[in-house]
Amino acid sequence: MTEEIVVIPGDGIGQEVVPAAVDVLQATGVDFEFVEAPAGDHVAAEGGDPLPEETRGLAASADATLFGAAGESAADVILPLRDAVDSFVNVRPARTYPGVDALKPDMDVVFLRENTEGVYAGHESRLTDDVTTLTRVVSKSASARLAEYACEFAPEGFTVAHKANVMRESDGLFRDTVQAVAEERGVETETALMDALAMHLCLRPEEYEVVVCPNLAGDVLSDLAAGLVGGLGLLPSANIGEERALFEPVHGTAPDIAGQGVANPCATVLSAAMLLDYLDYDEEAQTVRDAVEGVLAHGPRTPDLGGDAGTEDVTGAIVERL
Amino acid sequence: MTEEIVVIPGDGIGQEVVPAAVDVLQATGVDFEFVEAPAGDHVAAEGGDPLPEETRGLAASADATLFGAAGESAADVILPLRDAVDSFVNVRPARTYPGVDALKPDMDVVFLRENTEGVYAGHESRLTDDVTTLTRVVSKSASARLAEYACEFAPEGFTVAHKANVMRESDGLFRDTVQAVAEERGVETETALMDALAMHLCLRPEEYEVVVCPNLAGDVLSDLAAGLVGGLGLLPSANIGEERALFEPVHGTAPDIAGQGVANPCATVLSAAMLLDYLDYDEEAQTVRDAVEGVLAHGPRTPDLGGDAGTEDVTGAIVERL
Ligand SMILES: CC(C)[C@H](C(=O)O)[C@@H](O)C(=O)O
Ligand SMILES: CC(C)[C@H](C(=O)O)[C@@H](O)C(=O)O
C-alpha cells in the first residue's frame, strides 16, 4: 500500500531539513508518495495567504503531513495546520543523546501538550482604549481526550502540570479531569504547579518522564526542556488527531543559517520517525532513531553541535546506517 | 525617625526565616519597630480567614511589610497582600553566588513582573458543564506604569517578554506599550517570545540582565531562573507600589524541613536588604548583601547548600559580618 504524505517545507531551513527527512523516509523502504505543498512567508511575500487553502486542504485529508518551519507567519501557518488535522495533543519528547553536550545529561521527558484550547483559543477584545482581554478556554472534553491519550501513552503514570492555585476554575477543571480519567484507568498521576515544575525540571529532570500540560504551559516547558538538553536542534514533535497527524521539528526557520546547507536535520528526521510510528511502521521508526543516535554519537555533526558537516553529509550518514 | 515594619511570618519555615531577617534588620542599627501580624494555614486551621482583615489593614497602611510564606492558603494570602500594598511590580533578582553550586554560574538577571493583571485578574466562569473560561486582562496603563519603573531600574536597557504571536491584542498591547514608553525615555529594549526565552535563559543567561514580563510569564521565568542558580533558597523579591511595598522570599513553606531549625534564611535576609534599599538605607542594604555573600562563600551553610548549620548559626554569621 502506498502511503501518501503531504510535505510542507515552509521557510528558511525548513527548505533544507524537510527534504533531508524525505530522503531518510524514502530510504526506509516503505512505499511513500510525497505531495509537496507551499506555506509560509515566501508565499505571503508573493501576495498569497501564508497558508494557502489548497495546502490546508491537503493536510486536512492526508493521513500524515510533515512540516518544516515558517517565519514571521509561523502562527498563521502552524496553528491552522494543527487545527486542520484536528490534533488534540502535541507530543514533544525532550531527551539527551550520548555525544551531545547538555546542561542536564539525564533528561528524558515527553511533554503531552493540549493542542486545541487554553489561550490559543484566542478570543481577544479591546474593551476600551486602555483595556484588552483574552478569554482562555478550558473544557472538560478536551482535557479528558488528552488524558485518555496520556493513559495509553504512559500507563506507568504521569505528571499533570497546572496553575490551579490562580486559575482555579479553568486549570482546576483541567487538573481534576485529567486525574479523574487516569484514576478510572488505574493510571497513577502526580500534579505540579507549572512554575515550580520549571524549577524542578532544571534541578531534577530525572524525576519526570511524561508531563501532561495545558497548551501554553506545554509550549514554555518544552522549550525550557530544549534548553536543558542542548537546544532545539534535536527536538521532534507530533500533532496527533483522531484520524490524521502532523509532524514538525520544534525549532523555527533559523534565518541566520538558512540557505547555507548547514542546518541540523536531526529534529526533522526524528519527527519523520514519529510519523513512521504513527503509521505503524514501528520497526522502521526504531531503525531511523537508532541511525540518528549513531550519527549523534559518532558524527558527522553540523556546526550547532560543534561539527563542520553540512545537512547533506549528516543526512547521508543517517541513511547509511539504516 | 522610627521605621515601622509589619512582619508576617506565615506558615512553615516562614516562622523561622522571618525572625532571622528581623534579627539582621535590627543589627543594622536602623531604628525599626516591628509589628507582627498573623496569616496563613495556621490561622485558617483555627477557623479564621487565612488573611485576617487586621493583617491586611496593617500591610495596607505600613510603609513596608516583610512576609515569609503561606502553605495551602498561599494564593489567598499573598495575592491580596500584593494588592493591599498596591504593588504594580514584583522585582525578582536571580543571581549566582561564589560558593553556591549553580547550573549556570554566570547568571545575574532581574525579572520585573507585572503584578496586578494578566491571568491573575482572574475572572473565571463555568459556562456549561463542559466549558470554563478565564478572562485575562492586559491594560495599557498597567503596562506603562511597569515600563516607567523598568526605565528607572534599567536605564541601560531591558528585554520585554511576551507571547504576542498568539495573544496578539493583549500581549501585543503589553509589548508595544512597554516599548513605546522606553523609546520616549531613550531606553533601549529588545523583545523575546516567552517560550524562546525559557530556552535561551538555559543556554545563554549572560545575555540577559533585566527582563520585563507579564504576570504569569514572570512567575514561571523567575522560577526557572531559580532552578538555574541552584534553587529557591536564595531568591528574594520585592512587591513595589507607589506608596508602600511588600518583601518576601520567592520560596514557600518547605513543610519537609519546617520546625527543624535548618531553613536557609538567606532569601528572606536578602528580601530585607531590598526593604532597606526601598526605605533609602542604601548603605545598610549593601552591608547586608555583602554579609550574605560572605557567608555563602565561606560558610556556615544550611543543609540545602550542602552544609550542616542551622538557621540561627547562619543568621549569627551574617550579623557578625555587618
Ligand atoms: C509559532 C507559535 C505559534 C508556536 C506555538 O506557540 O505553539 C511555537 O512556539 C511552537 O511551540 O510550535
Ligand atoms: C502562591 C502563588 C499564588 C504565587 C504566584 O503565582 O504569584 C507564587 O507562585 C509566587 O510566585 O509568589
Side-chain angles (χ1 to χ4, degrees), chain B residues 50-71:
Chain B
L51 182 63
E53 186 45 43
E54 204 191 321
T55 300
R56 213 204 83 88
L58 282 169
S61 55
D63 287 347
T65 298
L66 185 63
F67 173 68

Side-chain angles (χ1 to χ4, degrees), chain B residues 138-205:
Chain B
V138 176
S139 74
K140 209 197 259 187
S141 48
S143 307
R145 190 156 70 149
L146 175 65
E148 269 153 31
Y149 185 88
C151 290
E152 297 257 313
F153 188 93
E156 68 295 344
F158 55 82
T159 303
V160 187
H162 68 94
K163 185 77 190 177
N165 57 344
V166 171
M167 302 190 273
R168 294 177 188 209
E169 190 93 44
S170 56
D171 264 21
L173 182 68
F174 177 82
R175 179 197 57 199
D176 295 347
T177 304
V178 173
Q179 287 205 285
V181 169
E183 201 179 0
E184 259 174 45
R185 303 273 182 292
V187 174
E188 279 186 29
T189 56
E190 53 157 21
T191 63
L193 288 165
M194 67 180 285
D195 48 332
L197 190 54
M199 182 181 69
H200 287 303
L201 283 169
C202 295
L203 296 174
R204 286 178 296 280

Side-chain angles (χ1 to χ4, degrees), chain B residues 282-295:
Chain B
D282 299 3
E283 216 171 289
E284 288 82 354
Q286 194 52 47
T287 310
V288 169
R289 270 192 284 267
D290 291 345
V292 170
E293 201 162 330
V295 169

Side-chain angles (χ1 to χ4, degrees), chain A residues 11-33:
Chain A
D11 300 314
I13 62 167
Q15 294 283 347
E16 299 160 59
V17 293
V18 168
V22 166
D23 285 351
V24 174
L25 283 174
Q26 249 153 353
T28 59
V30 177
D31 182 15
F32 282 117
E33 196 185 310

